[in-house]
Amino acid sequence: MSSDKQKTGPVFDAPLFDAKSVLAVMSQRPGVYRMIDTNGDVLYVGKARNLKKRVSNYFRASGLDTKTMALVSHIASIDVTVTNSETEALLLEQNLIKKLRPPYNIQLRDDKTYPYIMLTHKDAYPRLAFYRGSRRRDATFFGPYPSASAVRESLSLLQKVFRVRQCEDSYFRNRSRPCLQHQIGRCTAPCVGLISPSDYSLDVEDASLFLQGRSDTLIQSLGQRMEQKANALEYEQAARIRDKISDLRRIQSQQVISGDGSDADVLAAVLEGAYTCVHVIVIRGGRIIGSRNFYPKDRLAETPADLLEAFIAQYYLRDSGEVAAAAIPAEVIIFPLIREQKSLQEALSTAAGKSVSVRGSVRGHRARWRDLALSNAQQAIQSHINNRQSMYKRFELLQSELGLDALPQRIECFDISHTMGESTVGACVVFDHNGPLKSDYRRYNIEGIQGGDDYAAMDQALTRRYSKLSSQLQALQDAPSAGPGGPGEGSDEQAEASSDSNHIGSVKDQALLASKVPDILLIDGGKGQLAQAIDVLQGCQLPEIMLVGIAKGISRRAGQETLFVATAEGMKELAIPGHSPALHLLQQVRDEAHRFAITGHRARRAKTRQQSPLEQIPGLGPSRRRELLKYFGGQQEIMRASESDLARTPGISKKLAAVIYDALHNE
């Protein structure tokens, strides 16, 4: 790059490196290439059967789409890694995407921790349960399922038809009479012996056959059993089996069923302007067990085929190990067809440790699955677009209601949750024009305050959120713009180039941090909480944020809230009509903050309550705790005991009894 070009034009407008010289020495073998910008950040990771041929396509004289041209304009260098095969290149590409998260690669936000239905083995009365995690337990696992809701829906169905218990073992062992599930006909009450282990094992076997997709075999077996009961004049039991067969027939009629009991995933991709959607239908044992919509960000996809090809690779190959391999079915049905179908099929087979087929041209029930996935994807993207456009419109109306000069880009909302001051949690949620920005959500465990002091809790949560952001912005503003060696070292051209590069990096960092500063800070509360927010932002030197408090009315119904806005003159009440979409936006953000705070509080409270207060007392080890529980018969009696009563326990001295009493009564 010449110094004249560097000085006279924008950094990314000029060619950043000599493509011809790079391509001249590039290998024609399979491999992975990484496109890198002037700051050393990886922009894009790709794989190729022929590296030289593939990379040269980015630098041809014509025919490039605008998205690819935008990528090419930022390239400063290209690194390549040669592999033995295209399959190996594809696997390496996905590992690098997962590690580097390049901005121009498809971005798929998905935790990939698959849920299963677990059937225990060791119990006399086995249990069906929701399970997520390593599958090394002594149990049979059915799945994986596309979502937790799909698992719970299946468990509800199993409970109605097969009546196999789903309660926790601790609950099961301590029952003295049947629970509500038995009374409403969803459990046979094995906890109190109302069904024999042999009869219960038949229900377990039936449920297992159903989960394996062998519904036809199950129905035949039930038919034979029904006849046997009828011949034995056990008409009531025969009627129950008849009802079970009817339920199974009805379930079959509601779904497109494969007679071969196969496992498959059906994927369909659609593209509408800047919006993308991939719909995934999960079929296990020939039965549709669930589906899910994905809206991945892909800055380079020009066609649905491009989107689907990138999605499949990342969806299945980002992770490794037993659980990831189990998530890859024997068959992947796609729409539309993709170019790299064969290499993708080989990579999936390698990752799964079994033969996996990727097919787009299918017939019969598979074609119906494919058409169903496409129809769902088309409906989902239209709904997604409408929601995004509706969200943008609500931001515009909110700008008008608040009298803002510019359209707000980011809203943050804080809420506090606790139970009588216990396990207080502060929560922050973030919304932009696309809706909830969940990657920026944060929870704060509140410590060191008087229980139930919402003002102090709000102060602590806000301070922890914005003091760090303020210090980062200040550090960037104070950072020198010259390079590491300063302008005195090297030539003038080198010094200027170094200064420009660091200045650009600083500007980019400042812009990124500035985008984290909300335009509107919404506080779930009245004037008191709003006053705390004003003090915190002034202390953090972030006064440009508009502060809005949203207090519930006396009836606590939606639409009857009171809004307060912080101004230079003080707090003023704001009236927005109850039917206004602007108010609906504030209510949505507030409700999401409330949900997020309550979820965090309940999780923290449950974790705290799992530990006995006795375990937190210094000097009170396991043996002495056992003596206390044995002597008093339970923790409630220990709480009621006086200091002298505690001292009578074997192994408990008067001094330790005083420590125990003080700890249990917070003195």
Side-chain angles (χ1 to χ4, degrees):
M1 186 195 306
S2 69
S3 59
D4 288 341
K5 287 181 179 178
Q6 188 179 19
K7 291 177 183 178
T8 58
V11 174
F12 296 127
D13 286 348
L16 298 176
F17 77 112
D18 186 355
K20 289 185 179 180
S21 62
V22 172
L23 292 170
V25 296
M26 189 169 289
S27 171
Q28 298 190 43
R29 293 179 58 188
V32 173
Y33 56 91
R34 296 176 293 282
M35 295 176 170
I36 303 169
D37 66 10
T38 52
N39 296 320
D41 297 327
V42 177
L43 296 168
Y44 181 74
V45 175
K47 54 90 183 163
R49 182 185 295 113
N50 183 319
L51 279 168
K52 184 173 184 177
K53 184 176 179 180
R54 179 71 184 93
V55 175
S56 63
N57 285 334
Y58 290 95
F59 302 98
R60 60 182 187 265
S62 62
L64 289 179
D65 55 70
T66 55
K67 296 179 179 180
T68 305
M69 289 173 65
L71 167 64
V72 171
S73 68
H74 290 70
I75 298 173
S77 62
I78 297 178
D79 289 345
V80 299
T81 301
V82 176
T83 60
N84 293 319
S85 66
E86 190 179 2
T87 299
E88 194 175 301
L90 181 57
L91 295 171
L92 175 59
E93 175 197 33
Q94 296 308 312
N95 287 332
L96 290 173
I97 290 173
K98 179 182 177 182
K99 178 181 178 181
L100 302 173
R101 298 190 65 81
Y104 279 86
N105 282 97
I106 186 170
Q107 296 178 25
L108 175 61
R109 293 192 177 119
D110 178 28
D111 56 13
K112 296 288 282 184
T113 53
Y114 299 102
Y116 289 82
I117 289 178
M118 176 182 69
L119 177 62
T120 59
H121 287 165
K122 62 181 180 181
D123 304 314
Y125 294 101
R127 168 187 174 230
L128 284 169
F130 178 100
Y131 185 79
R132 195 193 294 269
S134 171
R135 298 188 301 142
R136 295 177 181 175
R137 294 183 53 172
D138 184 19
T140 301
F141 295 92
F142 302 95
Y145 286 75
S147 64
S149 60
V151 175
R152 293 189 177 98
E153 183 179 343
S154 296
L155 284 172
S156 177
L157 182 66
L158 290 165
Q159 198 172 40
K160 293 175 184 177
V161 178
F162 301 104
R163 304 197 295 172
V164 176
R165 77 175 182 95
Q166 297 180 16
C167 55
E168 294 283 350
D169 290 341
S170 58
Y171 184 84
F172 175 78
R173 296 191 190 103
N174 291 288
R175 293 298 301 176
S176 58
R177 59 179 181 175
C179 67
L180 179 63
Q181 294 300 321
H182 172 73
Q183 295 175 30
I184 62 176
R186 295 192 177 186
C187 181
T188 51
C191 53
V192 292
L194 295 188
I195 184 173
S196 67
S198 58
D199 289 341
Y200 187 85
S201 65
L202 283 176
D203 291 337
V204 171
E205 184 180 345
D206 291 346
S208 181
L209 286 172
F210 177 78
L211 287 168
Q212 293 171 31
R214 299 169 60 188
S215 296
D216 290 337
T217 302
L218 172 59
I219 289 174
Q220 290 176 4
S221 174
L222 288 173
Q224 294 171 0
R225 236 182 284 169
M226 181 179 65
E227 289 183 7
Q228 292 173 359
K229 295 294 183 183
N231 292 334
L233 305 181
E234 297 176 358
Y235 298 118
E236 187 176 344
Q237 295 185 32
R240 288 176 183 169
I241 297 174
R242 178 204 62 202
D243 293 342
K244 188 179 293 187
I245 293 173
S246 299
D247 290 338
L248 291 172
R249 292 290 188 195
R250 188 161 53 251
I251 293 166
Q252 280 188 328
S253 67
Q254 291 171 355
Q255 302 188 60
V256 182
I257 297 292
S258 161
D260 56 10
S262 59
D263 291 350
D265 284 352
V266 189
L267 294 85
V270 291
L271 203 61
E272 288 275 349
Y275 298 99
T276 62
C277 178
V278 178
H279 186 77
V280 180
I281 295 177
V282 179
I283 294 148
R284 295 296 181 265
R287 185 171 62 90
I288 298 176
I289 63 172
S291 63
R292 187 171 177 183
N293 292 314
F294 294 87
Y295 305 97
K297 293 182 179 178
D298 193 335
R299 297 170 64 177
L300 293 181
E302 284 289 324
T303 66
D306 295 336
L307 171 66
L308 185 60
E309 185 176 329
F311 177 88
I312 291 175
Q314 191 170 157
Y315 181 69
Y316 290 114
L317 301 177
R318 286 185 305 158
D319 299 320
S320 58
E322 177 190 356
V323 174
I328 304 176
E331 187 176 18
V332 178
I333 300 168
I334 60 173
F335 183 88
L337 296 173
I338 58 177
R339 293 187 301 270
E340 303 294 337
Q341 188 168 316
K342 184 178 179 181
S343 61
L344 194 57
Q345 184 170 282
E346 293 174 356
L348 292 179
S349 299
T350 301
K354 61 187 177 187
S355 177
V356 177
S357 65
V358 179
R359 298 195 293 168
S361 300
V362 290
R363 294 182 296 178
H365 61 268
R366 287 175 173 80
R368 293 196 295 274
W369 285 339
R370 182 198 60 196
D371 295 343
L372 179 62
L374 177 59
S375 174
N376 285 335
Q378 291 170 339
Q379 292 181 22
I381 197 168
Q382 290 302 322
S383 176
H384 183 68
I385 291 171
N386 292 338
N387 287 340
R388 292 296 180 265
Q389 291 174 343
S390 174
M391 182 66 69
Y392 189 84
K393 184 65 176 176
R394 283 190 278 176
F395 267 81
E396 289 182 326
L397 291 172
L398 183 61
Q399 176 192 359
S400 175
E401 292 287 356
L402 296 178
L404 297 174
D405 296 331
L407 182 69
Q409 303 294 320
R410 182 183 177 100
I411 301 175
E412 294 191 1
C413 181
F414 278 79
D415 191 18
I416 303 296
S417 181
H418 59 83
T419 301
M420 303 294 290
E422 178 190 1
S423 304
T424 304
V425 170
C428 172
V429 301
V430 182
F431 274 60
D432 61 11
H433 297 165
N434 293 319
L437 190 61
K438 295 192 175 182
S439 60
D440 284 3
Y441 283 20
R442 294 294 182 273
R443 288 194 185 104
Y444 303 93
N445 290 335
I446 306 300
E447 305 286 357
I449 66 168
Q450 182 71 30
D453 188 347
D454 287 351
Y455 295 157
M458 183 67 72
D459 183 277
Q460 186 176 133
L462 290 167
T463 301
R464 289 168 63 181
R465 176 74 169 182
Y466 295 115
S467 59
K468 182 178 180 181
L469 180 61
S470 177
S471 62
Q472 289 174 333
L473 281 169
Q474 190 62 43
L476 268 179
Q477 291 171 0
D478 295 341
S481 60
E489 294 184 10
S491 66
D492 291 341
E493 291 181 359
Q494 290 173 330
E496 186 169 351
S498 177
S499 177
D500 287 346
S501 176
N502 280 278
H503 176 66
I504 291 166
S506 177
V507 169
K508 288 174 66 178
D509 291 339
Q510 287 190 39
L512 179 62
L513 279 175
S515 68
K516 300 290 185 181
V517 179
D519 301 290
I520 298 172
L521 175 56
L522 184 63
I523 303 297
D524 187 6
K527 292 184 177 181
Q529 286 89 346
L530 200 58
Q532 294 291 332
I534 294 171
D535 292 341
V536 170
L537 293 188
Q538 288 177 347
C540 295
Q541 299 180 345
L542 294 171
E544 69 277 7
I545 301 173
M546 169 161 274
L547 282 162
V548 179
I550 179 167
K552 297 181 179 68
I554 297 175
S555 66
R556 305 183 71 83
R557 291 181 181 176
Q560 297 183 356
E561 297 88 353
T562 303
L563 299 177
F564 299 97
V565 178
T567 65
E569 294 77 24
M571 297 182 201
K572 69 174 184 179
E573 191 171 325
L574 178 67
I576 299 180
H579 63 271
S580 170
L583 180 61
H584 297 165
L585 173 60
L586 295 179
Q587 291 169 344
Q588 180 184 358
V589 177
R590 186 271 317 277
D591 292 344
E592 175 66 0
H594 190 58
R595 179 202 65 79
F596 191 56
I598 286 178
T599 303
H601 160 63
R602 286 175 177 168
R604 188 184 183 198
R605 184 183 63 189
K607 184 177 180 181
T608 302
R609 289 182 176 179
Q610 283 177 356
Q611 187 177 30
S612 167
L614 298 175
E615 296 180 37
Q616 304 174 16
I617 300 175
L620 191 63
S623 59
R624 286 174 174 168
R625 289 200 298 271
R626 275 196 302 271
E627 290 295 334
L628 277 170
L629 291 168
K630 188 187 301 182
Y631 186 83
F632 288 99
Q635 190 166 296
Q636 289 185 348
E637 292 301 320
I638 296 173
M639 295 289 291
R640 295 191 186 102
S642 66
E643 189 175 320
S644 58
D645 291 335
L646 293 169
R648 295 192 187 100
T649 307
I652 304 296
S653 65
K654 290 184 178 180
K655 183 178 179 180
L656 181 56
V659 171
I660 295 170
Y661 187 85
D662 290 346
L664 294 179
H665 296 83
N666 296 319
E667 292 182 2

